[in-house]
Every structure is written in structure tokens, then in C-alpha cells.
Amino acid sequence: MSDADRVRLYRTVRLIRRFEERAIELVRAGHIVGGIHPYLGQEGIAAGVCAALGADDVIAGTHRGHGHVLAKGADPARMLAELCGRASGLNAGRGGSMHAADFGVGVLGANAIVGASGAIVTGAVWARRRRGADTVGVSFFGDGAVNEGMLLEAFNLAALWRVPVLFVCENNGYATTMPVAGAVAGSITGRAAAFGMPATVVDGQDPEAVRAAATAAVARLRAGGGPELIEAATYRFDAHHTFEHQVRLDYRPPDEVARGRSRDPVAIQGARLSTADRAAVDAGVERELAAAVEFALAGPEPDPADALAHLYASGLTARTGGG
Amino acid sequence: MPRLSYRRALTRALADELARDETVFLLGEDIRVGAANVTAGLLKRFGPERVRDTPLSEQAFTSFATGAALAGLRPVVEFQIPSLLFLVFEQIVNHAHKFPLMTGGQCAVPVTYLVPGSGSRTGWAGQHSDHPYSLFAHVGVTTVVPATPADAYGLLVSAVRCDDPVVVFAPAGALDVRADVDFAALAPVPLGRGRVHRPGDDVTVVAVGHLVHDALAVAEELAGEASVEVYDPRTLYPFDWDSLAESVARTRRLVVVDDSNRSCGIAGEVIATMVERVPLVAPPRRVTRPDGAVLPFAPALDRAVQPGRDQLRTAIHHVLKDG
């Protein structure tokens, strides 16, 4: 890996880390209503996978989706404005944290229905390739999704029709509060094997390891291979959702949390940079996020009179609720 | 003038749209052989990339269609059995329908869902005899229920060309309808426009789908005692409220016959809207399936829970007498 790639990868994990920390501050300050599902601790996966993709490739993510959207290249300022529900946000204030999308950079949306993105990405990639593009796609999901029938059906369809989709399972150990051991019969990679899909297990805390695995998989996809699965072992540093900051749920032993947090993807990647490079990246990210917060909070509130704008692409207007 | 059957009208609409627009493709179970007798011959003419037979994976192929639509194609998804719409209600409502709004207008999802054989087919019992069009009208997905071959052709063509998801219910009770049709005059029928099949002065009967033919028969039987106007909404959502209000404002009496279960069926919405807009001289009546109906197997039981001509006659007599 070149020094520039190494620095770029660090920049992405650092950007996601600080974005999430600033977002949590905005939740606490009341600027982001409804809270967020923090991606803290899992930054290396979005950063490493998206580093293996090109501008024409497409991804779809999850309710814990900020990292994917940012890593694929969405503007952090418009993303933060979206979280704050502003008309200047990526989705004009109509999506919020769980549905942030930026079709311009190939982000078909964070998706809050667990296991939903696999079939959508498969269809999108198949369609783009039918129209002559060289697109590959990535469907991100958590360990909780591997028991959803919809996702397993998508595995089958992608494998059957050899659609080049990289299925990335971020195994952070818990589906909300349910540990993997309490939810997953067999194994996650075994699900891939059942459909004849190659599967790789990677250390999700090491951004370069993720990037290497994703780069190799994407090369096989572009060479005409069928779909593949990467299971990235990771740990969620913070709550399932920020509501846990008020209501402490007791499901992760403190020593496990401490152990999990000791392997920090930002620290791991940062240690690979010179002190000067790292300081320069950190300062740049701080400047960008300071501007992003300012942009987000200065953004106009959407007009309630247009609450259902964009409901229909055909231009159909719905009846009002009356009164 | 040549005779056109309802089924062949659907086939012709699909063939014409496949020929006209290369972004259109078909997806569904057993469509290569045309098990539902609608797609017969299309594989040979358009090939397996555009007439795509699927495994029994309704959830995956429904969301695959969403993804393909997000990438610029216009999928038509056939469901052999109306009850399968319950399986994919999630994929249609949570994803296909919600994406344009949730993304702030970044995308369109032009998918057509075609159900060639909705409602009772006599003897297909509880899990193959539903007629769930009111559910889609309720969530705001464009919903059409053509009654005649020409409307089946014209509405399916318009559905394929629509930039939003559209569900096309072809009632089993209408599939064998044949009509004299000038093939050269077959044309798109605009979505959201109702039609008066038989003009009348004393009462407006709103009939949905195959029940239009029952309403026309009853109107003819009663011709000596009352002048019955038969109104076919054709599209249930968006409903052509203005043209129905014009009819009801003239007759000032209203009966609705609707193959939905009674609670929250479209008949209730039609009556509520007309009562809001038009002074009536008699309480309106509706004929529907009973509350919570599950179609029982034995033919006499199956018929007993579907709206029938006797009930319609009774309802018409009531509104004529009550005023």
C-alpha cells in the first residue's frame, strides 16, 4: 500500500470517528432529534471496504450507516445537516440518520430494515451491468441480519445469477442486545458456503486488513466472479442507540467492553503514520467538521407545507389530512 | 371487429412495452412458460435477460426489482397468487414506496407489480383467494383494477410507464372477459381516471374490477324500475374523486360494491369521501366481503362471502326507497 493510501485510510476512519462524536454532542444538545446508532469502533470496515471501490460502484447500508455514507464520499456537512433535519441535508431533511443517501456518489441509502439492502444492491448492480457499466456493489449488514430470510434469499439470487456483490457482515457481537451466540445457529461464513459463495473472515479493527480483503474480493468480482462474503470481526464501542446514554442496558460485561475498546481502528491506523502526517490529518478533519457543524446548524428548516414533497416521483399529489 | 380477451390484453401490453422500451423487463415465477397464461410467448421473443424466471424468493426478487429500478430499469414483477402480496408488502411499502420521499427526491422506483388472477378463483381456498387492493390504496401505492380488456391493456401500459410503483390487480373474475376491440385503437389509459360504463339518473353504483360486470348486469335487470349509473373507478389510488362526485351530485344516491373485507375496504373510503363532498338524499350502502373474511374452500361457501348480485340489488332498492 502506498503512503498516500495509508494516509487516506486513516483520514477516513478519523473523519467517521470525529463525525460520530460531534453527532453525539448534537444529539445531547437537542439539535439531532431521535438519536443515532453510533458507528464508533467499526470505522475500519466502512473505510477499508469503500477504499476498494470506484465512483461507479454502489453500496447500501444499515441503520448504523453514517460510516458507509461518509466512506463512499458523501459530503459530511450535508450529511450532518440531514441528521439535524435541515432542508440543506442530503435527503432534504426527509431521511435523517437511518436513511441518509447520496445517489450521486453511489450510496443507495442507509436502510433501517435489517437485512433489506442485499437484494436491493443485487438488483441495482445487475441493472447497471446490463446497461454496460462495470459496477460492483456492496451490501453492508450486521450479525443480526444473517437470520433474516430476505437476506438469505438475496444471497441465493446473487449467487445464482452471479451478480458481483460483496456482502459485508459487520459482526460486532450483538444484534441490539442479543449476543451472536444466542441468535446464530451454525456460522456466518457457513451461510455463504451454503450458496457456493467464497467467504473471508477479516479483522475489522484493522483498516488495512479490511482494505486488503475487500480489494482482493472486488478484483475477483470485476474479473467475472460471483458474489462473495466478508465477515469483519468488530466491536461496537458505544451504545446500540444513543437512547442507551439515558437508559443503561446491562448486556455487555464491562471487561468485555474494555477489551473491545482496546483495539481501536483509529489508533491502529494512526500508528502507521508519522506524527506529522497524523497531526495534519487530524487538524484537517477538525476544520472540516467545524465547518460541517456550522453548515448543518445554519441550514434552513424544511417547510411543513411541503412535508410530503418527493412522495411521488410521478408528480402525483396526495390528498391532505383534512380538518 | 376482433375479439380480445382480458388475458391477451395483458400479454399484448407487456409485449408492446418490452418492444417500445428496452429498459422494461419482466420478473417472476414460471413466467418463461407463462404458467399464469399472461407471459406466454414473451421469452421466445425477448429472451431470458428480459423475461427473467425467478426462484421462489418473492422477497428477494421484489427488492431486486427495486434495486433495478433505482438503477434506471423498469421492472414488471408478476405474482401468480394474490396472497403473495402479503409476503412482499414489506418490500413494496417499506422500500419501493418510501424511497423517493426518504431520499428527498433523489430517486424514482418505477416498478409494476402485476397480479393476473386476484380474488377468488373458486376452489383455491384461503391462501390463494385474497383481493388485497385496498391495502395498497391505504398505504398510497398507485393501485389499478381494470375491468375490461381495453382497460387492462391501457392501464398496464400506463403502469409500466409510471415513475412510481404501481400494483395492477387483474381480477380472476375478469380474466375470461372478452370484448370486441379495434386493435389499432388500443391505447394507454391514464392512471387515476374513472369511467362511467352505463349512464343513469337515479343511483350511482361504484363497482370495482370484475364486479363492474355484475353491476352492469344488475343495472340492466332493473332497467324497468330504475336508471342505474355504473361507475368504474379503474384506479383506486389515486382515485378520480372529481368525476365520481360529478356523478353522485346528479344521482344523489350511492352504492358501492367492492371485493374487499368490509373494515377499511375501499368502499368505506368512497362513501366517506362522497358524504364529505356531496349531499345525498338517502344513506349510502356498500356491498363487500364480510369483516375479516377468509375464503372458505367449498364453492358454495366461497361464493357466500363474495359480494353478489342479490346483495347489490338489495342495496340499490334500499337507497332508492330510503330517499
Side-chain angles (χ1 to χ4, degrees), chain B residues 27-29 31 36 57-59 61-63 65 76-89 91-92 111-118 121 136 166-168:
Chain B
L27 200 62
E29 293 158 345
I31 61 171
S57 288
E58 293 82 11
Q59 299 188 338
F61 69 66
T62 302
S63 275
V76 179
V77 188
E78 185 195 275
F79 296 96
Q80 272 179 37
I81 300 162
S83 313
L84 294 176
L85 291 177
F86 298 137
L87 252 73
V88 299
F89 201 57
Q91 283 71 28
I92 296 174
V111 183
T112 302
Y113 311 98
L114 173 62
V115 190
S118 58
R121 310 187 82 149
F136 290 90
V166 180
V167 190
V168 178

Side-chain angles (χ1 to χ4, degrees), chain A residues 90-92 94-95 99 101-103 108 111 113 116 119-120 122-124 126-128 130-131 150 153-154 156-157 160-161 307-314 316 318-319, chain B residues 22-23 25 49 52-53 55 57-60 63-64 67-68 70-73 90-91 94-95 99-108 140 163-164 237-238 241 269 273:
Chain A
L90 286 175
N91 306 31
R94 277 140 180 99
H99 307 305
D102 188 347
F103 279 59
L108 304 184
N111 197 312
I113 302 299
I120 293 171
T122 302
W126 179 84
R128 285 173 79 131
R130 225 198 80 189
R131 306 189 85 189
M150 180 167 39
E153 286 188 23
N156 184 61
L157 216 54
L160 185 72
W161 291 346
L308 290 183
H310 313 298
L311 178 58
Y312 296 105
S314 63
L316 172 65
R319 288 192 291 172
Chain B
E22 64 157 19
T23 67
F25 74 103
E49 283 291 290
R52 222 167 158 75
D53 224 317
S57 288
E58 293 82 11
Q59 299 188 338
S63 275
F64 179 94
L70 292 174
L73 298 186
E90 197 279 321
Q91 283 71 28
N94 257 336
H95 307 282
F99 260 52
L101 180 133
M102 290 199 309
T103 62
Q106 293 183 56
C107 63
D163 284 339
D164 287 316
Y237 187 92
W241 297 119
E269 183 57 38
T273 301

Side-chain angles (χ1 to χ4, degrees), chain B residues 1-195:
Chain B
M1 199 177 280
R3 303 281 282 173
L4 179 64
S5 79
Y6 193 114
R7 270 201 190 84
R8 290 287 79 81
L10 296 174
T11 309
R12 180 175 278 261
L14 293 175
D16 285 357
E17 290 308 289
L18 283 162
R20 187 188 62 82
D21 180 353
E22 64 157 19
T23 67
V24 175
F25 74 103
L26 313 185
L27 200 62
E29 293 158 345
D30 309 304
I31 61 171
R32 74 190 187 291
V33 297
N37 198 7
V38 165
T39 55
L42 298 179
L43 172 69
K44 194 172 169 196
R45 184 165 165 203
F46 296 102
E49 283 291 290
R50 301 188 66 199
V51 180
R52 222 167 158 75
D53 224 317
T54 63
L56 307 188
S57 288
E58 293 82 11
Q59 299 188 338
F61 69 66
T62 302
S63 275
F64 179 94
T66 302
L70 292 174
L73 298 186
R74 289 184 177 271
V76 179
V77 188
E78 185 195 275
F79 296 96
Q80 272 179 37
I81 300 162
S83 313
L84 294 176
L85 291 177
F86 298 137
L87 252 73
V88 299
F89 201 57
E90 197 279 321
Q91 283 71 28
I92 296 174
V93 177
N94 257 336
H95 307 282
H97 171 58
K98 291 183 181 176
F99 260 52
L101 180 133
M102 290 199 309
T103 62
Q106 293 183 56
C107 63
V109 188
V111 183
T112 302
Y113 311 98
L114 173 62
V115 190
S118 58
S120 169
R121 310 187 82 149
T122 309
W124 286 28
Q127 292 178 333
H128 282 54
S129 304
D130 296 289
H131 217 160
Y133 48 75
S134 292
L135 287 180
F136 290 90
H138 177 72
V139 295
V141 173
T142 296
T143 304
V144 304
V145 194
T148 68
D151 281 347
Y153 175 88
L155 287 165
L156 180 52
V157 165
S158 293
V160 173
R161 296 180 189 180
C162 180
D163 284 339
D164 287 316
V166 180
V167 190
V168 178
F169 289 90
L175 287 178
D176 293 327
V177 172
R178 289 167 187 275
D180 293 328
V181 170
D182 175 3
F183 283 8
L186 283 174
V189 171
L191 302 172
R193 299 263 183 83
R195 163 185 177 190

Side-chain angles (χ1 to χ4, degrees), chain A residues 173-180 236 240 243-244 249-252:
Chain A
Y174 291 85
T176 309
T177 68
M178 171 60 80
V180 168
R236 160 161 64 72
H240 164 67
F243 77 75
E244 281 184 57
L249 302 177
D250 181 19
Y251 59 95
R252 300 198 301 185

